[in-house]
Amino acid sequence: MYSSLEIPSELLAQYQAELEGTSPHGSPLNAAAGTSVRRPHNSQLASNAIRKRTRTLSGKAKPYKQLDIRIPLDASFESVKVNLWEVARGLISHWSHLKDEDFQVKQYSGGLTNKLFKVTADVCGEQQVILIRVYGDKTGKMLDRESEIVVIQELHRQGMSARFYGTYANGCAYGHVEGRPLSVHDLWGDKEISDKIAMHVGRWHAVVQVPQLDQQPNLWRTINKWISIVPEDYSHLDAEQSAQLRALKIDIKQEAAFLESELMKINSPIYFCHSDLNPGNIILSPDGGSIMLIDHEYACYNYRGFDLGNHFCEYITFDIDLSKYPARATQLAFLRTYLRTYYHHYNNTTTHHNTTTGESESGGESEVEVSEEEVEVVYREANKYALASHLFWGVWGLAQSGQVSIEFDYFTYGYRRLAAYLHLRDTFLAL
């Protein structure tokens, strides 16, 4: 663990070596030799995404049930169970007659902006399951809950998410995806799982559209919104935390403006992105054959580079162990698979969706060729946007510190992400 967040010498050497090569940025992506795949240039993709705003609907979710019930975050588990049963009966019509003893409740760990419960009901001998989420205190300032509902409903319609059931005063309920959430160990050591993630994200970027939402990228609006929540004098922090943060000598607002101007030079295409591709949000099916993404709190139209770079940052864990950042060869393999899948689905708009697993049933990704030049372009793009990931989650941690009652050290996490940003900034921007 690199507690000071210094870049390990071998990792720094890896990126330094990249600077010595010839940059392919001057070549248009759709001019790659040796391929017959129809490839839109980045600027074309970006303008297409903006033009689609003419088809934007009202932005409102479809009608859903809303209950006037509040579940206290600080209540005992026994008390919370009673509230959960009440919510379940109210939102699931054919559960309204069930007795308390017909329910089982399990709390999941790991939620950083909410608490999540699995509620299982015995309905005539059949086990039926929903998930009930309790929002963290004051997280409404950080997240657009109405947009999240729109996203879940639309993804369910496209076979990419479980069903949305409704809301109550401080939470919501939706269907359960069978399988197991991945761990960071899956990212580190399982090439097959890494390929599945790359294929799923490639397909997601190619086919998922949520026309009800504003299709301008949301990254910088969100970062600046969160910056406005953080008091400039850090008065929401204790004295030790405030001193530690000041020692970084970072002007967050200035850094955000600087990084935005630098990344705009890349012209990363705009897709509908998950924006939080951490292993806990990736569910591997029981048979190990497919994956599905869950937890769409941050899903929005965003830059491709952010979704990819943010995923690579998940390798370093919540401890921000920079030695775990994926090696160049690991990234290139991931991106090669991602691009092949993206182009396969981009060029086959009639792809059928499996509404159970969310995976494509058409196959054919291996038939698509991508040039190494193009893979290199996206490699540089992803690593530069990894800086945006550090800044994004760094500000997120500071804004939530002292505000949310969920047990997580938001300050330390945010501080470490900002420190990582400062250490990596010049090296990654020079790629």
Side-chain angles (χ1 to χ4, degrees), residues 31-269:
T35 176
S36 60
V37 178
R38 180 170 59 92
R39 300 163 187 265
H41 188 269
N42 284 357
S43 59
Q44 177 189 342
L45 288 165
S47 61
N48 284 348
I50 294 172
R51 282 199 299 270
K52 289 172 188 170
R53 296 185 67 197
T54 59
R55 293 187 291 139
T56 297
L57 305 181
S58 66
K60 299 295 184 181
K62 296 178 181 178
Y64 56 88
K65 291 185 178 180
Q66 301 177 65
L67 305 179
D68 188 19
I69 300 171
R70 178 170 292 276
I71 301 180
L73 278 171
D74 57 354
S76 68
F77 182 65
E78 291 303 315
S79 177
V80 167
K81 283 199 300 185
V82 174
N83 293 136
L84 293 171
W85 298 334
E86 187 178 0
V87 168
R89 292 189 187 100
L91 294 180
I92 313 296
S93 300
H94 65 280
W95 287 11
S96 60
H97 67 286
L98 297 181
K99 301 176 181 178
D100 292 354
E101 54 265 30
D102 294 324
F103 292 102
Q104 294 181 356
V105 176
K106 174 186 177 181
Q107 182 175 355
Y108 287 114
S109 60
L112 303 184
T113 56
N114 58 77
K115 289 187 176 182
L116 187 64
F117 298 89
K118 176 183 177 182
V119 179
T120 304
D122 186 339
V123 183
C124 300
E126 177 187 355
Q127 301 297 299
Q128 300 180 358
V129 182
I130 65 168
L131 298 179
I132 298 181
R133 193 197 313 168
V134 186
Y135 300 146
D137 297 334
K138 302 180 181 179
T139 55
K141 294 181 179 180
M142 301 283 293
L143 301 166
D144 186 341
R145 298 297 187 186
E146 182 67 17
S147 290
E148 180 189 5
I149 293 170
V150 171
V151 168
I152 296 174
Q153 289 180 332
E154 181 61 25
L155 290 179
H156 174 65
R157 188 188 69 80
Q158 297 180 34
M160 303 287 274
S161 175
R163 177 182 174 182
F164 182 78
Y165 287 105
T167 66
Y168 55 98
N170 62 327
C172 66
Y174 45 87
H176 177 253
V177 177
E178 291 295 333
R180 70 169 179 88
L182 299 183
S183 73
V184 71
H185 298 282
D186 293 308
L187 303 185
W188 292 339
D190 196 320
K191 173 68 164 56
E192 185 178 348
I193 286 181
S194 181
D195 284 344
K196 283 183 170 61
I197 297 171
M199 287 189 286
H200 192 88
V201 176
R203 174 173 173 264
W204 175 293
H205 284 174
V207 304
V208 173
Q209 297 287 338
V210 183
Q212 300 92 325
L213 298 186
D214 181 355
Q215 296 181 22
Q216 293 276 20
N218 206 34
L219 176 62
W220 301 109
R221 283 182 292 181
T222 300
I223 289 177
N224 288 318
K225 173 185 176 181
W226 291 350
I227 288 174
S228 70
I229 294 174
V230 179
E232 292 187 5
D233 59 358
Y234 303 140
S235 57
H236 67 308
L237 305 175
D238 62 37
E240 181 180 355
Q241 291 173 336
S242 180
Q244 192 176 1
L245 188 57
R246 291 179 191 282
L248 276 183
K249 297 180 180 180
I250 182 173
D251 184 324
I252 302 173
K253 188 178 297 185
Q254 182 177 337
E255 285 295 337
F258 165 76
L259 187 61
E260 180 179 7
S261 67
E262 288 296 308
L263 296 184
M264 288 303 96
K265 300 173 184 177
I266 300 175
N267 200 21
S268 180

Side-chain angles (χ1 to χ4, degrees), residues 25 27-30 39-49 265-271 304-305 339 342-343 374 377-378 381 385:
H25 276 273
S27 302
L29 296 187
N30 59 342
R39 300 163 187 265
H41 188 269
N42 284 357
S43 59
Q44 177 189 342
L45 288 165
S47 61
N48 284 348
K265 300 173 184 177
I266 300 175
N267 200 21
S268 180
I270 302 165
Y271 302 142
R304 172 183 69 183
L339 286 170
Y342 172 82
Y343 287 128
E374 184 170 0
V377 169
V378 183
E381 176 189 325
Y385 268 91

Side-chain angles (χ1 to χ4, degrees), residues 283-355:
I283 304 299
L284 183 67
S285 63
D287 65 1
S290 62
I291 65 170
M292 181 176 276
L293 305 181
I294 62 169
D295 287 0
H296 308 294
E297 291 175 301
Y298 302 94
C300 61
Y301 281 88
N302 217 338
Y303 302 101
R304 172 183 69 183
F306 182 81
D307 231 10
L308 298 172
N310 184 69
H311 176 64
F312 291 152
C313 286
E314 295 298 340
Y315 283 63
I316 66 179
T317 76
F318 289 133
D319 292 327
I320 320 304
D321 183 349
L322 295 178
S323 71
K324 300 296 187 182
Y325 192 72
R328 167 182 162 80
T330 300
Q331 293 189 43
L332 292 179
F334 181 98
L335 295 173
R336 198 173 293 112
T337 300
Y338 162 83
L339 286 170
R340 285 173 177 164
T341 309
Y342 172 82
Y343 287 128
H344 169 75
H345 288 289
Y346 181 82
N347 287 280
N348 292 276
T349 56
T350 58
T351 297
H352 297 291
H353 298 166
N354 183 318
T355 57

